[in-house]
Amino acid sequence: ADPDDPSQEEIVFSEKDLETYFLALMLHADIDTIKSYMYNLKPKDFSKEALQNLVKALKKLKKNLKIKTFLKTLDEKTKTVTEELYMWEALAGEEKEDVAKELEKTYKRLKTKILKKRLRNLTNGIELAEKQGDTEKIKELTDLFEKHSKELL
């Protein structure tokens, strides 16, 4: 089994898992909050297929999330995961302000994790381009690497 394969579905529901915790928080946010965070995230930033599908669905939202209606738009596997995330015990009864603060904190940690992953992938791409002598690709990837490095600061 390939641990980088997003279809390997072992999803951990824990505050320690930034991806699931962040998405659980998102399911309790208003549309403006969802849109602002989803703008900077890509489905491929998430490691599991069901989480990627949930991100795609959240990106398509046009108005405040109504969980029953939203669930009807998802495939079975994504629906099951989304229900689990929405019903997460740790978030039950949380005030909107507390969710917003927690969302911001979690997003910063998740963004750092995503950027480090992108930098690793770019490093691998640069090494491959160097082996192939592809100077155009090296420049393109190096520029991207520099851009993402600055985002980490």
Side-chain angles (χ1 to χ4, degrees), residues 23 49 55 61 86 136 138:
L23 290 173
E49 187 174 21
V55 169
L61 272 182
Y86 187 77
E136 251 181 65
I138 293 169

Side-chain angles (χ1 to χ4, degrees), residues 71-87:
L71 289 171
K72 291 177 185 172
T73 67
L74 305 173
D75 65 80
E76 209 50 49
K77 189 177 273 185
T78 307
K79 179 180 177 179
T80 303
V81 169
T82 304
E83 286 172 323
E84 289 280 329
L85 290 171
Y86 187 77
M87 302 302 284

Side-chain angles (χ1 to χ4, degrees), residues 18-33:
L18 290 174
E19 293 180 11
T20 54
Y21 187 55
F22 176 77
L23 290 173
L25 289 165
M26 289 302 291
L27 292 172
H28 293 274
D30 61 55
I31 187 66
D32 294 333
T33 304

Side-chain angles (χ1 to χ4, degrees), residues 95-125:
E95 295 294 323
K96 287 280 183 207
E97 301 83 42
D98 295 336
V99 170
K101 285 180 198 168
E102 193 64 20
L103 197 49
E104 179 62 26
K105 195 168 67 176
T106 305
Y107 174 73
K108 286 178 182 172
R109 291 174 49 214
L110 180 62
K111 185 178 178 193
T112 300
K113 178 184 172 194
I114 290 167
L115 286 171
K116 286 180 178 178
K117 179 180 167 188
R118 287 180 186 169
L119 291 174
R120 270 194 312 276
N121 290 340
L122 286 168
T123 300
N124 293 339

